[in-house]
Amino acid sequence: MNQITRAVVQREARGQAVRVGVDLAKRVIQVHAVDSAGRVLTSRALTRDKFIAWCAQLPTGCIVAMQTSSSAHHWSRKLISMGLDARIIAAQLVSPYRKQGASGKNDANDAAAICEAASRPQMHFVPVKSIEQQSMLCVHRLREGYKADRVACINRIRGLLAEFGLVFAQGPAALEADLSDTIEDADNEMNALARLVMRQAQTQWRELDAHIAWCDQRIAAHVKDNDDVKKGDRTHGHRPHRCVCLRGHCGRLQAVQERRTVWCLDGAGATPTFIGRQEQPGRHIRGAGAPSPAHQAR
């Protein structure tokens, strides 16, 4: 029996792949496939442009599991369109299934651990987000970034002014009301360079306010056109920003009421957060109810 025939016989004896673990990376994607008996069919690294072609050879309905990452939802949508059962698992739920432990972390071991974790009947999977959900979450995350930059800008201005003995009441409104007059006041210790710096910081503050207002306009337009968000605002007591955030993470606001615990993905693909009656929502979702970041600045 020649080598090619022997390989074919071995493949037929093992059967088709029923579950694949995928470890995503920027340039190389590691796959780990097993058959119905749990025997390893292949464990290899693929380039990104060859990954879809390799998945096209898998049988329809084959489970393709991957760990949460920035591209997990993108790949999952592509695989679902090909008739495969794409699933996403949070990183901390995969770690216990790595046989080599924390010291044996590499692409091949991670793919094997993902494949094993996907076989657990009680495993929690992250719902695959649609393009609409991802798009609205882009707006929300951009707004959250602008809010953090605005708070940092305000605190930076306060710290720089304090170096010259200039202290203001708490709250951005008090600082904003007096900042222009303070910069122009010739009786304080600031020299020309310091005043120029303060004007630049004030310009940055105003630009960040304009960026946040732009995001608010996009969210308001989405609320206006989406009946689910309107219903959440009216019946569940969620503010519009929080409704958009919850819907972007969970798909339907009704899911928060139907299930005791809703599994959502926090951030770009990092840490999952339980949102439900017993667990506290993530900080980014609690903050989504605030129309502006003024209360966060000192």
Side-chain angles (χ1 to χ4, degrees), residues 110-257:
D110 285 350
I114 294 168
C115 185
E116 182 64 24
S119 68
R120 303 297 102 179
Q122 301 300 324
M123 179 58 61
H124 290 282
F125 296 102
V126 178
V128 178
K129 293 180 177 62
S130 65
I131 294 178
E132 180 192 5
Q133 288 175 263
Q134 297 266 220
S135 300
M136 283 313 303
L137 284 176
C138 287
V139 178
H140 171 72
R141 288 168 183 154
L142 185 64
R143 183 178 184 273
E144 291 299 301
Y146 285 147
K147 284 170 57 179
D149 293 344
R150 183 181 186 270
V151 172
C153 179
I154 293 172
N155 292 339
R156 188 182 306 113
I157 291 173
R158 285 185 179 276
L160 294 175
L161 290 175
E163 298 291 343
F164 298 96
L166 302 171
V167 180
F168 300 85
Q170 290 186 352
L175 177 62
E176 187 176 18
D178 297 335
L179 183 57
S180 296
D181 293 338
T182 301
I183 294 174
E184 300 298 334
D185 187 4
D187 295 334
N188 57 48
E189 293 183 351
M190 288 193 297
N191 62 12
L193 179 59
R195 296 178 197 280
L196 184 63
V197 171
M198 289 300 104
R199 290 193 187 96
Q200 185 68 20
Q202 186 183 39
T203 300
Q204 183 188 17
W205 184 357
R206 290 170 177 171
E207 290 176 350
L208 289 170
D209 282 341
H211 292 327
I212 294 173
W214 181 88
C215 293
D216 289 340
Q217 291 173 2
R218 304 285 78 74
I219 292 174
H222 181 71
V223 171
K224 182 179 179 181
D225 298 336
N226 192 283
D227 294 334
D228 192 25
V229 176
K230 288 181 182 178
K231 184 178 179 181
D233 188 17
R234 184 172 60 254
T235 62
H236 302 331
H238 297 303
R239 296 180 182 179
H241 289 77
R242 186 171 298 171
C243 287
V244 171
C245 181
L246 285 171
R247 187 177 184 278
H249 282 294
C250 305
R252 294 182 305 132
L253 292 176
Q254 187 180 358
V256 179
Q257 301 295 326

Side-chain angles (χ1 to χ4, degrees), residues 21-42:
V22 179
D23 184 63
L24 300 172
K26 293 181 179 179
R27 294 179 177 83
V28 178
I29 297 176
Q30 183 77 29
V31 296
H32 182 94
V34 299
D35 61 13
S36 58
R39 292 172 294 193
V40 179
L41 298 179
T42 184

